[in-house]
Amino acid sequence: MNRTSEAGTSIPGPGPGAPRSDDCEEFVRALYHHHATPLMRYAARLLGGDWHKAEDLLQEATARAWRQFASANTDPVSIRPWLFTVVRNLAIDHYRAQVIRPSETRAIEDLDLSVDDAIDRILSTQIVLDALSLLTPAQREVLTLTYFRGYSVAQAAEHLGIPPGTVKSRSHYALRSLRDTLHARGVVRS
């Protein structure tokens, strides 16, 4: 006897001489007990280790076995070769479907979800400003003149009224301190 789906197509089901519901459950339980583990391993091997799809194939093979053999009171243990053939054919069908219609989704790890906005720049600026606040006022003044205003060492020395060697020394220690601070906060790697 066939049932009709919502789309009006015929859905095969057990015929008029079909076994009772209890017999069907017993048939499926026996089938899983005797064949589930080797069929899952076989299906997973055919599918390149995809255990979720292997489980789907096992369920489909069980449904087909129930439709084919449950009404005939066939012993579930005796249909093992038939089950392996069904799983193999389902795996081939799956492979062919993938070749024809490859999956368009990509793994999340492969996606580049970076957004080009000002957030990264703002966060970096805030971190650098916090690190600059940890420097001595003399070191901050030297860095401000040489790196942010573009003064040469000689110009910064003249502006500050200190020797050029002192400008070089202060900028060296200031940059080292900044690097250490940013490294400690995980922003810069050594």
Side-chain angles (χ1 to χ4, degrees):
M1 174 197 275
N2 291 337
R3 295 176 284 143
T4 305
S5 72
E6 292 177 10
T9 59
S10 177
I11 301 173
R20 295 187 334 262
S21 164
D22 295 341
D23 293 340
C24 292
E25 286 179 29
E26 220 174 281
F27 178 82
V28 170
R29 260 194 215 103
L31 197 101
Y32 266 83
H33 175 73
H34 292 290
H35 308 298
T37 301
L39 282 173
M40 277 288 289
R41 287 183 185 143
Y42 179 65
R45 198 169 49 244
L46 291 174
L47 296 167
D50 185 350
W51 287 91
H52 296 290
K53 188 62 184 170
E55 192 173 286
D56 292 344
L57 295 188
L58 175 63
Q59 289 174 1
E60 178 61 28
T62 302
R64 289 183 184 191
W66 174 73
R67 283 193 297 255
Q68 184 77 21
F69 298 108
S71 61
N73 292 326
T74 304
D75 180 23
V77 177
S78 66
I79 62 171
R80 185 178 208 132
W82 182 86
L83 286 168
F84 273 89
T85 302
V86 169
V87 167
R88 180 179 172 273
N89 290 340
L90 289 170
I92 290 170
D93 290 346
H94 173 72
Y95 173 74
R96 287 178 179 160
Q98 292 298 314
V99 170
I100 292 171
R101 299 182 305 272
S103 177
E104 292 184 23
T105 60
R106 291 173 36 195
I108 289 182
E109 298 83 34
D110 296 341
L111 294 177
D112 180 17
L113 299 177
S114 63
V115 177
D116 189 23
D117 59 6
I119 298 296
D120 287 337
R121 192 174 55 242
I122 292 169
L123 290 175
S124 296
T125 302
Q126 187 61 46
I127 291 170
V128 170
L129 287 174
D130 288 344
L132 282 170
S133 70
L134 298 175
L135 298 176
T136 65
Q139 289 174 332
R140 262 196 314 275
E141 193 173 31
V142 167
L143 287 184
T144 301
L145 292 173
T146 56
Y147 286 95
F148 298 115
R149 292 195 179 162
Y151 282 35
S152 68
V153 172
Q155 290 171 330
E158 184 181 324
H159 180 79
L160 295 172
I162 58 176
T166 306
V167 171
K168 289 179 184 179
S169 175
R170 285 182 186 171
S171 66
H172 168 77
Y173 288 113
L175 290 175
R176 187 171 75 177
S177 177
L178 277 177
R179 184 189 70 228
D180 292 344
T181 302
L182 295 176
H183 177 69
R185 294 182 181 180
V187 177
V188 177
R189 292 180 184 85
S190 302

